[in-house]
Amino acid sequence: MQRVNLGKTAPELYKTVLELENLSMQQVKQAGLEIGFSHLLKLRASQINQCAFCVRMHTQDAIKSGESIDRITLISAWRESQYFSEKERVALLLIEEITLIAQQHFPDQAYENAKKVLNDDEITAIEWIAIVINTWNRIAISSQYLVTPERT
């Protein structure tokens, strides 16, 4: 069944989400976070949400940004790998907590741990990454943005 394409039926709203994406990436740069790692954060949220379109896109973006294949393939098992720094591990935990907010809200302990390792600009950037990618995941999933072999 063909679903409504939100970008075509409500282009101004779609453009607003694009602008939000651009602003959040400005915050990433201002906070000094690596662009490649920001794609890994988006990839992790997209994996949790099972958004194939976004998983593929952010995997490709991470590669283009210089992230290693090892870090990309291990992002879903980051807790069991040695490929991520303490700051990155805290950022990944924040992404997961915000992505799963309906299940467990946003535990104070996760935020307290983040404050020990990250500054306010970094936390702000990570939270906005989570908010924006979760929005994109919902757009792509509800509109059934498909991933097909011919769509590269």
Side-chain angles (χ1 to χ4, degrees), residues 31-92:
L33 297 177
E34 294 291 325
I35 298 299
F37 183 66
S38 75
H39 292 300
L40 292 182
L41 294 172
K42 293 174 189 181
L43 173 58
R44 184 65 192 123
S46 298
Q47 289 171 335
I48 292 168
N49 289 322
Q50 299 181 35
C51 181
F53 184 86
C54 295
V55 165
R56 182 177 188 204
M57 179 173 55
H58 293 295
T59 297
Q60 291 172 343
D61 290 344
I63 291 168
K64 288 176 192 171
S65 296
E67 281 292 343
S68 73
I69 297 300
D70 283 343
R71 282 170 53 94
I72 292 167
T73 53
L74 289 171
I75 197 71
S76 65
W78 62 268
R79 286 176 178 84
E80 290 79 34
S81 85
Q82 299 297 312
Y83 282 84
F84 302 97
S85 70
E86 182 182 12
K87 276 183 135 176
E88 290 171 331
R89 297 169 81 74
V90 169
L92 285 160

Side-chain angles (χ1 to χ4, degrees), residues 17-45:
V17 178
L18 282 172
E19 181 60 24
L20 188 59
E21 171 76 28
N22 292 333
L23 290 171
S24 75
M25 291 311 292
Q26 287 176 18
Q27 180 66 36
V28 166
K29 291 175 186 173
Q30 177 184 323
L33 297 177
E34 294 291 325
I35 298 299
F37 183 66
S38 75
H39 292 300
L40 292 182
L41 294 172
K42 293 174 189 181
L43 173 58
R44 184 65 192 123

